[in-house]
């Protein structure tokens, strides 16, 4: 251990590049941070001048018990750093509101993540951490990332670490970030080495490492490290992953936590399983639109099977209502001080905006669903909803329009979109873009699914009718449009 401490001090004192330590609250990142702390604290205080940033990534859908543990730990780390004269500063990085899990899933209708369409990792984990690192690079020129990664974790991890190794240096180049270097002080540790170190060395910020042992024992799984590149595997099987993760078939870690006494997490597991059920190939068109987000229709290969698009608006409303009901139930059952906020007010505002602007949600569903679901219970304070202008359409307008459209056999949504375009340009002196937007709406597919399939079958010269409810597993693809590209 003395050799590692000497290495840490030597690298720390060798230049002026600040350090960014990735802390997930798990055993590996805790070990790495404790080693750094122990080594640097042995230096004279006048030599502890280089800043060490400890960052933790919060996807906003972290397993509540772990999220609470990390929040408490970060508070203790910050307080102990001040008391002990350590150059440590803590930060929690979160995704931007318009890229959050619920804004994408409920707001835009992205399907629950799967192994073939894992849209969440980049937006929720990689981008927030990398944005912080880039900001430090912009400020200091270069940074050193300290990560609790080990070669024994996987063959892929070992290969990546070796690939970016700098000859004659203890550092590696970051796989994707310019002017960022990686230092892995526990690279050669085994799992036993990690646990031995934690149980034999007291946490310098006042945590009890035996609590960490208990957390792992309860979940019987591993940690989800700070993710800064695409080589890091999914955390779906991990105790330290997201409670909504549907990349794996079953959330065994959550099930184990409930079995070990955390029964208040049961509503979260039930909601997560509901999301997972939407991935059943035979039921996808029950929950999802047959059109892509661009309004176009795609078929799977040379078949008449439709590539499902985003969740339908009706199902998204159901998802929002179910999420808020889950939040209310968990708030009633969680231990004091541990009730999580499952969806934040800023996300509700963004979902409302997307529904109103992109999906013609004339009934203005979000405020109504929030009000009906949460009411005045548990001290709930309703968000301050921004009032629409005088030309906004209402639920009554929608019902009248629907009756007229049905009578004339015209798609209601088509007319809604056209009216929304006119409303958005109301009062503008220059309306040169209106015609382009109208043309784009007419280019979308407005015919019924059975008509499209029949046309497709004719073009493919297919003799038998297809059963649209019996889709084979298809290769998921990112939704069309720049914002949805992977």
């Amino acid at each position: 251990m003395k050799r590692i401490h000497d290495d840490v001090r030597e690298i720390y004192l060798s230049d002026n590049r600040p350090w960014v330590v990735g802390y997930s609250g798990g055993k590996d990142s805790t070990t790495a941070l404790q080693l750094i702390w122990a080594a640097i604290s042995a230096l004279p205080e006048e030599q502890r001048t280089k800043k060490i940033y400890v960052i933790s990534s919060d996807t906003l859908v972290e397993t509540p018990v772990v999220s609470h543990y990390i929040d408490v730990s970060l508070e203790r780390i910050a307080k102990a750093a001040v008391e002990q004269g350590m150059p440590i500063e803590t930060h929690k990085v979160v995704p931007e509101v318009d890229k959050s899990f619920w804004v994408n899933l409920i707001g835009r209708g992205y399907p629950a993540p799967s192994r073939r369409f894992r849209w969440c990792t980049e937006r929720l984990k990689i981008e927030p951490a990398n944005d912080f690192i880039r900001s430090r690079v912009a400020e200091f020129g270069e940074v050193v990332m300290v990560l609790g990664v080990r070669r024994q974790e996987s063959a892929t991890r070992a290969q990546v670490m070796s690939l970016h190794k700098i000859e004659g240096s203890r550092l590696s180049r970051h796989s994707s970030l310019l002017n960022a270097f990686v230092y892995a002080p526990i690279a050669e540790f085994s799992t036993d080495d990690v646990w031995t170190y934690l149980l034999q060395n007291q946490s310098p910020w006042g945590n009890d490492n035996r609590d960490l042992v208990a957390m792992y024992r309860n979940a019987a799984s591993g940690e989800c490290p700070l993710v800064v590149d695409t080589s890091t595997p999914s955390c779906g099987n991990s105790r330290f992953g997201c409670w909504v993760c549907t990349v794996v078939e079953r959330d065994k870690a959550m099930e184990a936590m409930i079995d070990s006494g955390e029964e208040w997490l049961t509503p979260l597991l039930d909601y997560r399983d509901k999301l997972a059920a939407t991935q059943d190939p035979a039921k996808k068109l029950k929950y999802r639109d047959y059109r892509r987000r661009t309004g176009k229709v795609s078929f799977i290969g040379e078949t008449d099977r439709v590539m499902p698009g985003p969740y339908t608006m009706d199902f998204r409303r159901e998802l929002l209502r179910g999420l808020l009901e889950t939040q209310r139930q968990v708030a009633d059952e969680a231990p004091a001080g541990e009730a999580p906020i499952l969806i934040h007010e800023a996300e509700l505002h963004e979902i409302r905006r997307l529904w109103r602007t992109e999906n013609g949600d004339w009934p203005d569903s979000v405020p109504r669903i929030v009000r009906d679901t949460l009411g005045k219970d548990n001290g709930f304070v309703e968000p301050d909803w921004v009032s629409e202008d005088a030309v906004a359409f209402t639920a009554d307008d929608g019902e009248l329009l629907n009756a007229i459209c049905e009578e004339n056999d015209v798609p209601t949504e088509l007319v809604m979109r056209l009216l929304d375009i006119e409303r958005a340009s109301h009062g503008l002196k220059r309306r040169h873009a209106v015609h382009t937007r109208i043309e784009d709406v007419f280019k979308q597919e407005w015919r019924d699914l059975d008509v499209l399939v029949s046309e497709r079958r004719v073009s493919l010269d297919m003799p038998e009718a297809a059963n649209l409810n019996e889709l084979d597993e298809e290769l998921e693809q990112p939704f069309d449009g720049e914002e949805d590209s992977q």
Side-chain angles (χ1 to χ4, degrees), residues 50-155:
K50 192 165 68 173
K51 184 70 72 176
I52 299 176
Y53 299 97
V54 175
I55 69 169
S56 182
S57 180
D58 183 358
T59 62
L60 303 181
V61 283
E62 299 292 328
T63 302
V65 174
V66 177
S67 180
H68 178 73
Y69 176 84
I70 292 175
D71 286 345
V72 171
S73 296
L74 289 177
E75 290 178 6
R76 291 174 176 172
I77 290 169
K79 181 180 179 181
V82 173
E83 294 173 347
Q84 299 175 32
M86 294 292 288
I88 291 176
E89 188 176 297
T90 59
H91 292 268
K92 185 162 68 170
V93 297
V94 299
E96 296 178 9
V97 171
D98 70 326
K99 295 181 180 180
S100 77
F101 184 83
W102 297 122
V103 167
N104 278 301
L105 185 123
I106 296 178
R108 295 189 174 94
Y110 280 35
S114 64
R115 292 180 182 177
R116 292 179 173 179
F117 186 31
R118 191 182 304 167
W119 53 263
C120 50
T121 303
E122 184 82 22
R123 292 170 173 82
L124 305 186
K125 291 181 174 289
I126 296 177
E127 289 183 8
N130 285 356
D131 286 346
F132 181 89
I133 297 167
R134 290 191 189 96
S135 68
R136 299 288 83 79
V137 169
E139 183 178 355
F140 297 100
E142 293 182 339
V143 300
V144 174
M145 284 212 65
V146 181
L147 299 178
V149 294
R150 297 181 293 112
R151 296 184 188 276
Q152 281 194 8
E153 286 181 282
S154 69

Side-chain angles (χ1 to χ4, degrees), residues 392-428:
F393 298 111
T394 66
D396 290 340
D397 296 329
E399 291 179 6
L400 176 60
L401 178 63
N402 187 57
I404 296 173
C405 288
E406 285 184 352
E407 183 178 339
N408 292 275
D409 195 24
V410 176
T412 304
E413 187 182 352
L414 168 60
V415 181
M416 280 184 165
R417 295 285 184 88
L418 295 174
L419 289 172
D420 280 337
I421 290 174
E422 174 60 30
R423 181 183 66 86
S425 60
H426 179 76
L428 296 180

Side-chain angles (χ1 to χ4, degrees), residues 14-15 81-82 87 98 110 120 158 161 169 185 189 196 210 255 266 281 287 293 306 315 382 390 401 403-404 435:
S14 64
D15 54 50
V82 173
D98 70 326
Y110 280 35
C120 50
M161 293 174 69
S169 172
F189 275 40
T196 298
R210 290 174 296 182
E255 292 173 359
T266 301
Y287 305 108
R293 273 177 48 81
V306 173
F315 187 62
E382 186 172 355
L401 178 63
I404 296 173
H435 295 94

